[in-house]
Amino acid sequence: MSAREEILGRVRSALADVTQPDPELDVPLTWEYGRATTMPDVLGRFVEMCGDYKATVARCGAADVAARVADLLGGAGVRSVVLPSGLEQTWRQAIEAAGITVHDDDPPLSRAELNAIDGVVTASAVSIAETGTIVLDHAADQGRRALTLVPDTHLVVVRADQVVSDVPEAVARLADAVTDGAPLTWISGPSATSDIELSRVEGVHGPRTLLVVLAD
């Protein structure tokens, strides 16, 4: 008997009692994809993981978001920002009142123009507590992808009801955006990479500074 025949013989023997060819039906699982993973404090876990990634997180009530956005931008030394068209007008007003120059992306700014702007402010689609990841689906309140990749500082506002437990739950929530063909950007802290000598370099393929406002 050849090695091939011996291997195939063992495979046939192991599968002799399998009557259902579909492995998903052969071994039923009680787990449901997209079901929330139980954790004691989803928001607290999200804040903790964002901090591990060197992001600055500020929690506030929904009514205080505009003021918190302006305060964080000022504290980070941001003097100019680009805002997506669908962003809350109260946020825009607070930013302008703080003396920060506001740029619109209509018509679309060039890469050189975006590079000259200090920061960008966006909303978000979903955030993941287990990994500290923020996902953008680039709806009107988030703008096109270039806005969140070129400026040096990204301030993103996350609503408490947008924070889910883990990646499968986030993917389930993003199903409609994927079906519609929307691009997705997954952000886990400020942009960072390491070279072959493990020297950490920040800002290579995205913002060096990530500011997060969590609206409870």
Side-chain angles (χ1 to χ4, degrees), residues 43 125 158-164 173 214-215:
L43 297 181
V158 177
R159 299 195 319 267
D161 62 359
Q162 293 177 317
V163 181
V164 299
R173 285 211 187 184
L214 176 58

Side-chain angles (χ1 to χ4, degrees), residues 17-27:
D17 62 343
V18 176
T19 58
Q20 172 55 253
D22 187 339
E24 293 185 5
L25 299 177
D26 181 54
V27 184

Side-chain angles (χ1 to χ4, degrees), residues 81-85 87 91-92 95 102-105 119-121 147:
V81 294
V82 56
L83 302 182
S85 61
L87 212 63
W91 303 358
R92 182 189 187 102
I95 293 169
V102 172
H103 298 269
D104 294 310
D105 192 41
V120 58
V121 178
L147 299 188

